[in-house]
Amino acid sequence: MKIEDVYKIEINDLISRRDSTKFHITGIRHCDFKDKADDFIRDAAQKMQNVILLPEEANQYDQASVVCRSGNKKIGYVSVYDLEKYQILARKDDSDHLTGHFFFGNTGDHLLDLSVPGIVTLDDIRDYRKEVDRQKKEQYGSWKHDAIKRFLVHSRLQDDAKACIIQMKEFVVGLFGGYGSTTQEELSPKLEQYKESSQYDISLEGQRDRWDILRYLDYLYDRWHMPGAIVDKYFEDILTDVSSQIGGELGRNVSYEYYIERLSELVTIHLPSAETAQHYLNTLPNTAFDDIRQQVENFPHHLYHLFHTDPKEFVRILYYARIPRKYLDPFLSGIALVEAYARKQQKLTMNSKVNLNPEVLKEELNYFAPTNSLQRLLKQPWFAELRTSEHYDEAWTDAFVEALMDSEYGEQIARDWAVQGKRERKPQIKGHVVGLLKDAGVLQGSYGRIARAVGIIVNKENKKDPYKTFSDYMTRGKKQPYALWVKEYVEGKD
């Protein structure tokens, strides 16, 4: 039995008490009221302004998108995790639109809450999802991927993401049964693991589980604010912690850059370097990779071509396509194997050109550029201020970088450093190295504090915290193949 079935009656009762369905309107700062978004949000909520919801099938990113309008003005869009509710209510009314009124606005997050007459039960959502599953089968079921499936490569990152999302959902649903003194202790590690892993899963199932989490949090809020109920500040803090993280990921659409970085790293670094992938590279004939490449190229939406020409658009389309795991995972696996094979062939060609002379090979790859840049980075004043011991002086950092670049991981770092244009990885590499030094005890302070001290701004659009992206790069250092090497180097192990 699914855990939500245990509390199904209670949840449906909370839903029916509303007599209406809540929608979150996002994207206001990008639409017709962008120049005065904060004033508009406050005014629209206070006046309970009436608006209309209409499908926007011509939307170039998401054909399932629904726009919120007031006359000839576009206010924003229905949040992605509310789209199911729109489709269900519109079908119940046999209508091509819905009407409602605002009742709450949040200027900090640029959100407006909209109330629309009618309710959506758990059974409504399940029935709708079954229909969507049939449509997805029609769309992707004819894609032949037997060659990829035979040599499927999976990443622990994907498994971690799936597990963390499912466990977070079960944790939230379990709160309908109450909470105890250890609830906050249980939540903290789960939330940290969710933050670290969740964005490696943009499958249909992963997105649905995220949407469910937010819906259940909404119902829990109702439960603990019913007439006569005692408001528990401790419990509200728990709900706020979860909804802030997951709501920020979905409701405010702030995570595209992280999705782009993580999905690109997944298929170009983590999957190709997996033990299974390396085994296939050493044992499969060239014809096997030719078959895999052909099947990857035949995937719907011409996504493999887009992966090479515009990785940002590639991930954006993947996100909005909402592809089931049984199709998405083989597709990403196929890309990883094709990319790893191409890299291997390139390396063989280069070795042939230089007669397998490793010194010439290093020169071609330009080991000097990343070595020099990383050494200069660690000589800046911030490092001396944040180091945990004077032992870690300039001589130590120079030797550390030289040893890293001379290690078995130096070649890949040099290759990644050489990438130009939209897929440039220099800031990521710097962040990974700095983060690993923090993890190994060379640097002290939080990731955020260190990132601010380093002063590298990657995402200039994030006015609120311009150093957050570099801080995120630091946290991902532990996922790099040379993470253990750094730890053992600092500890003085051979």
Side-chain angles (χ1 to χ4, degrees):
M1 176 184 289
K2 294 183 178 180
I3 187 170
E4 51 259 60
D5 287 336
V6 176
Y7 305 103
K8 181 177 178 181
I9 295 176
E10 181 177 2
I11 293 172
N12 279 332
D13 179 61
L14 290 170
I15 295 171
S16 63
R17 286 174 179 268
R18 288 186 174 182
D19 294 325
S20 63
T21 298
K22 180 165 71 174
F23 289 86
H24 300 83
I25 305 303
T26 68
I28 300 169
R29 62 185 182 275
H30 302 299
C31 295
D32 290 345
F33 293 97
K34 59 185 177 183
D35 294 332
K36 51 179 180 178
D38 289 352
D39 292 338
F40 174 80
I41 290 170
R42 283 190 290 265
D43 190 56
Q46 291 172 358
K47 294 182 178 179
M48 301 182 72
Q49 181 176 340
N50 291 316
V51 291
I52 186 172
L53 301 180
L54 290 164
E56 192 177 60
E57 296 176 355
N59 188 294
Q60 62 176 319
Y61 298 120
D62 187 7
Q63 293 182 349
S65 65
V66 175
V67 67
C68 176
R69 301 188 68 93
S70 176
N72 63 353
K73 298 291 186 182
K74 180 189 292 186
I75 296 173
Y77 287 87
V78 170
S79 179
V80 64
Y81 66 90
D82 284 334
L83 292 177
E84 287 183 328
K85 295 188 289 188
Y86 173 85
Q87 294 295 339
I88 293 168
L89 282 183
R91 293 183 185 193
K92 281 186 175 183
D93 291 346
D94 192 23
S95 175
D96 62 352
H97 69 277
L98 294 176
T99 57
H101 65 270
F102 294 122
F103 65 92
F104 180 77
N106 186 327
T107 56
D109 296 327
H110 290 91
L111 288 172
L112 272 166
D113 289 349
L114 181 69
S115 177
V116 174
I119 62 173
V120 176
T121 67
L122 297 185
D123 287 333
D124 290 333
I125 292 173
R126 287 182 180 176
D127 290 343
Y128 175 76
R129 289 181 176 178
K130 288 178 181 178
E131 182 179 340
V132 171
D133 289 342
R134 287 193 292 269
Q135 294 172 356
K136 296 294 182 182
K137 186 175 182 179
E138 291 177 2
Q139 187 176 7
Y140 298 101
S142 61
W143 175 55
K144 295 182 179 180
H145 55 282
D146 54 300
I148 302 175
K149 196 171 183 179
R150 191 180 306 124
F151 309 114
L152 189 67
V153 177
H154 222 245
S155 165
R156 178 175 175 177
L157 295 171
Q158 294 167 298
D159 295 333
D160 289 349
K162 179 180 178 181
C164 288
I165 293 170
I166 292 174
Q167 289 178 336
M168 181 58 70
K169 176 179 175 180
E170 291 180 347
F171 175 87
V172 169
V173 176
L175 293 177
F176 282 97
Y179 63 96
S181 59
T182 62
T183 303
Q184 187 71 50
E185 295 176 10
E186 294 171 7
L187 169 64
S188 296
K190 281 185 171 62
L191 193 56
E192 286 303 313
Q193 292 166 7
Y194 177 92
K195 291 177 182 178
E196 177 64 28
S197 303
S198 68
Q199 289 173 335
Y200 286 108
D201 183 2
I202 59 173
S203 66
L204 173 66
E205 296 86 349
Q207 293 194 51
R208 282 175 172 173
D209 283 338
R210 293 184 181 96
W211 303 341
D212 287 343
I213 291 170
L214 290 177
R215 285 192 298 107
Y216 294 138
L217 286 170
D218 200 21
Y219 306 149
L220 281 166
Y221 184 86
D222 276 6
R223 176 184 176 184
W224 290 94
H225 289 81
M226 292 174 63
I230 300 175
V231 178
D232 190 320
K233 180 67 167 60
Y234 177 76
F235 186 74
E236 284 209 65
D237 288 343
I238 294 175
L239 301 187
T240 299
D241 284 345
V242 182
S243 60
S244 175
Q245 168 61 28
I246 303 174
E249 184 180 11
L250 293 173
R252 295 184 287 278
N253 295 330
V254 296
S255 302
Y256 282 130
E257 293 300 325
Y258 306 133
Y259 278 126
I260 292 163
E261 292 158 10
R262 293 193 174 197
L263 265 293
S264 297
E265 289 178 359
L266 178 66
V267 297
T268 60
I269 299 175
H270 300 298
L271 280 170
S273 64
E275 184 177 342
T276 307
Q278 293 302 309
H279 171 72
Y280 290 150
L281 286 175
N282 294 327
T283 58
L284 294 182
N286 294 350
T287 53
F289 292 97
D290 291 337
D291 292 340
I292 292 172
R293 179 184 293 103
Q294 183 177 9
Q295 292 185 352
V296 168
E297 290 175 349
N298 289 335
F299 190 82
H301 313 303
H302 308 290
L303 280 178
Y304 181 58
H305 171 74
L306 200 58
F307 169 74
H308 285 287
T309 58
D310 192 342
K312 184 173 183 178
E313 189 71 5
F314 165 77
V315 177
R316 189 190 298 272
I317 289 181
L318 272 187
Y319 177 82
Y320 283 120
R322 305 179 187 98
I323 304 172
R325 284 195 185 103
K326 63 181 179 180
Y327 306 116
L328 179 62
D329 285 358
F331 176 56
L332 297 180
S333 173
I335 292 179
L337 286 173
V338 170
E339 291 295 304
Y341 177 75
R343 185 179 296 171
K344 178 182 178 182
Q345 295 304 109
Q346 183 182 21
K347 183 177 180 180
L348 291 173
T349 301
M350 184 177 295
N351 285 343
S352 175
K353 287 182 179 179
V354 299
N355 297 318
L356 301 179
N357 185 329
E359 294 305 316
V360 177
L361 181 61
K362 282 191 175 185
E363 185 177 347
E364 287 233 353
L365 279 177
N366 191 358
Y367 279 56
F368 173 77
T371 302
N372 181 55
S373 183
L374 290 172
Q375 287 178 334
R376 286 190 289 108
L377 174 69
L378 301 182
K379 288 178 181 177
Q380 294 176 10
W382 66 265
F383 188 91
E385 293 173 4
L386 297 178
R387 64 187 177 182
T388 56
S389 168
E390 293 184 0
H391 167 70
Y392 304 119
D393 55 15
E394 291 186 3
W396 187 91
T397 57
D398 279 354
F400 161 72
V401 174
E402 286 182 7
L404 175 61
M405 295 306 298
D406 282 338
S407 73
E408 60 184 297
Y409 308 105
E411 179 181 335
Q412 186 57 57
I413 293 173
R415 289 187 183 280
D416 291 338
W417 191 274
V419 175
Q420 302 293 324
K422 294 181 178 179
R423 299 176 71 178
E424 182 181 87
R425 301 197 67 246
K426 295 181 181 66
Q428 288 98 315
I429 294 171
K430 291 179 181 179
H432 296 157
V433 170
V434 173
L436 286 172
L437 289 175
K438 173 208 161 18
D439 296 337
V442 175
L443 298 171
Q444 59 187 337
S446 66
Y447 291 114
R449 179 192 174 193
I450 296 173
R452 288 190 292 274
V454 175
I456 295 178
I457 298 176
V458 180
N459 184 8
K460 295 180 180 179
E461 296 178 358
N462 187 351
K463 304 296 185 184
K464 196 172 184 180
D465 187 358
Y467 306 109
K468 185 179 187 306
T469 300
F470 189 79
S471 174
D472 288 336
Y473 292 157
M474 291 172 56
T475 66
R476 296 176 209 163
K478 58 178 69 71
K479 298 289 185 179
Q480 304 310 307
Y482 47 88
L484 180 60
W485 184 95
V486 173
K487 181 175 182 292
E488 291 183 342
Y489 183 91
V490 173
E491 292 174 351
K493 296 181 180 179
D494 292 336

